Amino acid sequence: RKKGEIFLSDNEAFIPFSENFSKVFAQICIPFAYFKRDCDKSCGFENFNLERCNNAFAMLFNKTCDEIIGNNIKDIFPEDYNSLRTFLIHSQNLNGDNCLESEFYFSKRNYLLTVLSPDSNDFVILFNDVSSIVKVNETYIKHKLLFESAKDILIYVKEKGRIIEANSSACAAYGYTPEEMTKLTIHDIRHPSERDVFDKQMEMADSGGIFFETVHIRKDGSSFPVEVSSKGTFINNELIRIHVIRDISERKEAEERI
C-alpha cells in the first residue's frame, strides 16, 4: 500500500493515465477504481463518476471495464451509495499526503477500502477483500468465548510440555494468574508420583487421544484428583495438545464413603 501511495500521489503520473500505467493498472489483482468528483454548482450536489478501473473491479459486477466505466457511484453501488459518497467527501482534504481507510460490506464479502486522493477531485479506491481475515477473527472470538466460559479446566500445551494458554477455570483451580500459567510446564501441575506414566500417556494422546485419571498440584502445594481427556493435533506444523481436565475430588470422596 505504501508503494501505491507514493506512486499515486505523483499527480503527473496519476492523472494522465499513460499507456504504460494503464497496462499495469488493468492487471493489478486488487479491485482498483478511479473516481472523479462532479459538482453540480446549481444545487451544490456532489457525485463521483468512474473514470478508470481494472479488470478485478469490473469482475465484482460480472462486467467488463468498458461496460462499467462512465457510470457514477450511485449506479454502481445503489444500495451503498450514501456511505461511499460520504467516505469520498471526507477524503477530499488528503491532498496526496495520506490515505483513508474504511470497512465495507458488499455482495456478501468484507472489504477494507483504501482511498488515495492527490487532489480534491480525483480519488483512487482499493477494494481489499478481507473476508477470510474477518472469518478467522470471528471464529477466534467464538472459540475464546467458549474457552473462557467452560467450567472444565482447558489447557493448551506444546510438545515439550510448555503451557501456552489456560482458561479462567484453570487459573481458579490451580491458583495461578494467566501470566503465571504460561510460565509453567504440564509437569509443574502434575504430582511427582504420576511422572513415570506421562510419556506413555502423551504418546497415546498424539496417536488418537486418551482419557485417564491422575493427580494435580495447586500453587499452594495441595493436590487434588482429576480426570483428563488429552489429544494432540498439529497447528502450523507444530504439535499442540489440548487437555480437558475435570476436578473429581467430590466424586472420589463420595466413593470413599461407600
Side-chain angles (χ1 to χ4, degrees), residues 85-219:
R85 178 174 169 272
T86 300
F87 178 53
L88 291 180
I89 290 173
H90 287 167
S91 306
Q92 290 180 18
N93 296 321
L94 292 176
N95 294 323
D97 295 329
N98 296 293
C99 64
L100 192 65
E101 293 184 337
S102 177
E103 296 178 358
F104 181 57
Y105 186 75
F106 169 70
S107 191
K108 298 183 179 180
R109 305 289 293 177
N110 295 92
Y111 293 91
L112 177 66
L113 303 189
T114 303
V115 63
L116 308 168
S117 179
D119 58 44
S120 61
N121 293 314
D122 298 290
F123 304 85
V124 168
I125 307 178
L126 289 79
F127 292 74
N128 191 14
D129 190 339
V130 294
S131 300
S132 59
I133 298 173
V134 171
K135 186 174 182 179
V136 168
N137 288 341
E138 289 176 349
T139 300
Y140 175 76
I141 290 170
K142 291 176 183 176
H143 159 75
K144 195 68 176 177
L145 179 62
L146 293 172
F147 185 76
E148 288 300 336
S149 61
K151 291 185 178 180
D152 286 333
I153 297 166
L154 301 179
I155 297 175
Y156 287 114
V157 181
K158 287 191 174 184
E159 184 176 7
K160 299 296 184 181
R162 174 68 61 185
I163 295 172
I164 57 175
E165 191 170 8
N167 70 348
S168 300
S169 294
C171 295
Y174 298 108
Y176 293 99
T177 66
E179 292 75 19
E180 289 173 330
M181 286 293 297
T182 57
K183 294 178 181 178
L184 303 175
T185 70
I186 196 70
H187 301 293
D188 294 321
I189 61 173
R190 278 180 67 117
H191 197 277
S193 63
E194 299 291 317
R195 212 163 262 188
D196 291 343
V197 296
F198 176 78
D199 289 340
K200 183 63 177 177
Q201 288 172 339
M202 293 306 99
E203 285 179 14
M204 296 177 67
D206 297 341
S207 64
I210 184 175
F211 185 82
F212 60 93
E213 292 185 6
T214 187
V215 180
H216 280 189
I217 302 174
R218 301 183 181 92
K219 184 178 181 179

Side-chain angles (χ1 to χ4, degrees), residues 36-73:
K36 195 168 188 67
R37 184 169 70 115
D38 177 29
C39 182
D40 186 342
K41 295 182 179 179
S42 63
C43 62
F45 181 78
E46 292 180 303
N47 202 358
F48 299 87
N49 297 318
L50 181 64
E51 295 288 315
R52 289 290 182 104
C53 71
N54 65 350
N55 295 328
F57 180 81
M59 287 175 63
L60 295 177
F61 309 91
N62 295 317
K63 295 180 181 292
T64 66
C65 293
D66 289 340
E67 289 173 329
I68 198 169
I69 287 172
N71 290 314
N72 65 48
I73 201 168

Side-chain angles (χ1 to χ4, degrees), residues 2 17 26 70 78 81 128 162 187 192 205 219 241 251:
K2 268 295 181 189
F17 279 96
Y81 164 66
N128 191 14
R162 174 68 61 185
H187 301 293
K219 184 178 181 179
R241 299 187 184 108
R251 192 180 80 193

